[in-house]
Amino acid sequence: MMDVKERTRIQTAHITISATNMVSSIFSSFTLFLFLSSWMCSARDNMTSSTPLRDEKGDTLVSSGERFELGFFTPYGRNDGKKYLGIWYCRYSPQTVVWVANRENPLDNSRGVFSLEQDGNLQVMDGNRTSYWSTRIESTSSSFSLKLMDSGNLVLIQEAGNGSAILWQSFDYPTDTFLPGMKIDKNFMLTSWKSPIDPAPGDFKFQLGERKNQYIIMRNGSIPYWKSGVSGSFVRSDERLWLVPSRPHGNTTTTNGSPYDRINSTAVNYNNSRLVMNFTGQIQFFLWRNVTWTLNWWEPSDRCSVFDACGTFGSCNSLNRIPCKCLPGFQPKSPDNWKLGDFSEGCERMSPLCSKDVVQNFLELRLMKAGKPDVEHDYSDENECMNECLSKCNCQAYSYHSSICLQLVSDNVVKLGSAQVRF
């Protein structure tokens, strides 16, 4: 039989073990609670002049339906600690940023403050109130509020005696991402990030082209990189881009009901899609499917879809190992660069136009892209168009369609489908 002292020792040990297991169980539950909480978006969706966001406190705004979150962030993969104020999808992993305020001027530490000033302007500042980004609006009102919508739109509202009005909204100033509910007009532009970890403005811009329903990607500010729907002598619209709806135009002032409701209603059918001007030069359309972003389509779709991929008088075939070659009667302008895979200088004629020693003829090319025509005539017969071009030593090519004769006399030719190129 156990004596009293032995029973007491065993009971004490049992109590100690039980207590240890209890602490372990409590700690595990606490750890699990913290882990789950890190994935939950729970914060206010609005801000006033008396309630700024402070990065050092981890303050954020979260839209009412917990779709988007606004706060300070450092891009994933960046190690210098630079901080930006941005909007990203709430709950989605990895973090997907759709808008950045101070993309050209990041903060160096975690003392960032995002405030709504008394004059209605928004400010991103550091602890010394040095401004890193701000809106520049003028208003006579003294009552303002800021709200993050479930559409991803950050809306600044001016309250007045006869109702309320939208004074400023982030949808009017997109960065690299188009969200459902934004508008596409002559001022619309998406500018790529500089790299996956640097939100600063990059090399590529996506905007409307000169023709109706045409889109264009510009490189380095002014160089055409890609144009939608260039085919034959006419430009067709790329219908896939219209999968993303434009926000209707209209007065943003309301006296009956909240302006938030009207904005939010435009994003009903496209809640899980986004259009991104990628830093690689592609415009990309994503859909959220099966707990991940799926790349649905992109342009340029291949290396030959890039504008002027092979330079002047060069043809491109993406199925070939070396995609570029010169048209018959032409040769690389820079043979050494051509061999190295640099086709930007294109090709030049092997014989001058109107040479007495060369029989002038035309080479028919289909599905080719060309520059803007220099001359346009109405002719009832294609032969008239051809002879007109042939009679001019500076006429490089022509295209004839529906009694319209288009002639190209400068070297921007052949970069209109079904063109006749002189050689």
Side-chain angles (χ1 to χ4, degrees):
M1 293 181 63
M2 297 182 187
D3 57 22
V4 175
K5 185 179 293 186
E6 180 68 14
R7 286 199 304 272
T8 302
R9 184 183 67 78
I10 293 174
Q11 289 172 353
T12 301
H14 177 71
I15 292 171
T16 302
I17 293 171
S18 298
T20 301
N21 289 339
M22 182 181 297
V23 171
S24 176
S25 176
I26 293 172
F27 181 77
S28 297
S29 298
F30 183 63
T31 303
L32 179 62
F33 174 76
L34 287 179
F35 175 76
L36 290 177
S37 294
S38 68
W39 287 92
M40 293 176 65
C41 300
S42 55
R44 53 195 166 104
D45 67 352
N46 59 80
M47 187 176 82
T48 64
S49 58
S50 61
T51 57
L53 300 185
R54 300 184 182 276
D55 183 29
E56 59 186 340
K57 293 184 178 181
D59 293 341
T60 63
L61 295 183
V62 176
S63 64
S64 61
E66 299 185 354
R67 284 190 46 78
F68 289 93
E69 186 170 10
L70 176 143
F72 288 93
F73 76 100
T74 297
Y76 179 76
R78 187 159 180 167
N79 300 318
D80 60 5
K82 298 287 187 181
K83 289 296 186 81
Y84 300 85
L85 181 82
I87 298 173
W88 57 86
Y89 285 92
C90 189
R91 300 179 182 271
Y92 290 19
S93 180
Q95 185 184 58
T96 304
V97 178
V98 299
W99 183 78
V100 184
N102 58 319
R103 62 186 305 190
E104 298 182 74
N105 198 15
L107 288 90
D108 291 322
N109 53 52
S110 297
R111 298 186 61 204
V113 179
F114 178 49
S115 66
L116 172 55
E117 301 293 292
Q118 293 290 343
D119 62 0
N121 278 289
L122 303 174
Q123 290 268 12
V124 174
M125 302 176 293
D126 62 15
N128 298 320
R129 290 192 62 83
T130 300
S131 179
Y132 286 73
W133 174 88
S134 68
T135 55
R136 293 177 174 85
I137 56 178
E138 296 182 1
S139 175
T140 57
S141 175
S142 59
S143 180
F144 309 94
S145 62
L146 185 71
K147 184 167 183 175
L148 179 61
M149 308 299 297
D150 271 335
S151 62
N153 194 9
L154 184 64
V155 182
L156 177 61
I157 296 295
Q158 172 184 280
E159 306 293 344
N162 59 346
S164 58
I166 299 173
L167 196 59
W168 178 94
Q169 53 190 335
S170 62
F171 269 18
D172 288 339
Y173 304 92
T175 49
D176 69 324
T177 301
F178 178 94
L179 293 175
M182 287 183 175
K183 64 182 178 181
I184 298 179
D185 59 17
K186 63 180 181 179
N187 297 318
F188 167 74
M189 181 182 294
L190 301 179
T191 304
S192 69
W193 284 26
K194 184 168 287 188
S195 76
I197 62 173
D198 189 351
D203 294 335
F204 298 94
K205 299 181 185 295
F206 177 75
Q207 60 195 74
L208 285 176
E210 295 179 356
R211 298 175 182 268
K212 183 179 180 181
N213 296 342
Q214 186 183 47
Y215 301 88
I216 186 170
I217 296 174
M218 303 294 288
R219 185 174 189 175
N220 296 329
S222 60
I223 303 173
Y225 184 71
W226 172 85
K227 293 182 180 181
S228 68
V230 178
S231 177
S233 302
F234 301 94
V235 178
R236 58 177 174 79
S237 63
D238 191 330
E239 294 181 357
R240 290 178 297 180
L241 290 176
W242 295 105
L243 289 172
V244 184
S246 301
R247 190 180 74 220
H249 298 273
N251 191 350
T252 55
T253 304
T254 178
T255 54
N256 298 316
S258 169
Y260 308 137
D261 299 331
R262 185 177 58 77
I263 297 174
N264 198 38
S265 66
T266 63
V268 173
N269 297 322
Y270 291 86
N271 279 339
N272 294 310
S273 65
R274 58 191 174 98
L275 190 70
V276 180
M277 181 66 256
N278 193 275
F279 72 96
T280 61
Q282 287 185 333
I283 187 72
Q284 301 175 333
F285 183 68
F286 290 91
L287 293 173
W288 181 259
R289 291 174 177 169
N290 301 321
V291 201
T292 188
W293 286 111
T294 301
L295 182 57
N296 189 265
W297 61 261
W298 59 94
E299 292 290 354
S301 57
D302 56 55
R303 52 187 175 177
C304 290
S305 298
V306 174
F307 191 73
D308 203 13
C310 298
T312 303
F313 297 114
S315 65
C316 187
N317 187 335
S318 60
L319 299 179
N320 293 340
R321 184 179 65 85
I322 301 176
C324 295
K325 69 176 182 179
C326 292
L327 299 177
F330 296 82
Q331 62 187 5
K333 185 173 290 187
S334 177
D336 292 338
N337 289 343
W338 196 273
K339 291 176 182 178
L340 295 174
D342 179 1
F343 311 110
S344 59
E345 295 182 66
C347 308
E348 61 184 359
R349 293 181 181 276
M350 299 171 66
S351 300
L353 286 173
C354 296
S355 173
K356 295 180 180 180
D357 300 325
V358 178
V359 177
Q360 301 295 311
N361 207 338
F362 288 91
L363 174 68
E364 183 175 357
L365 299 170
R366 297 187 179 276
L367 301 179
M368 295 289 290
K369 297 178 183 178
K372 185 178 179 180
D374 302 288
V375 181
E376 182 174 329
H377 296 292
D378 288 332
Y379 288 126
S380 59
D381 184 82
E382 183 176 353
N383 286 330
E384 291 183 75
C385 182
M386 179 186 69
N387 291 330
E388 173 73 16
C389 182
L390 201 58
S391 67
K392 300 176 182 177
C393 288
N394 64 347
C395 185
Q396 308 270 8
Y398 77 89
S399 179
Y400 184 82
H401 186 86
S402 299
S403 300
I404 303 298
C405 176
L406 304 175
Q407 296 179 6
L408 299 103
V409 300
S410 58
D411 280 343
N412 66 349
V413 69
V414 191
K415 292 174 199 174
L416 291 166
S418 191
Q420 306 279 344
V421 178
R422 192 172 180 178
F423 71 101

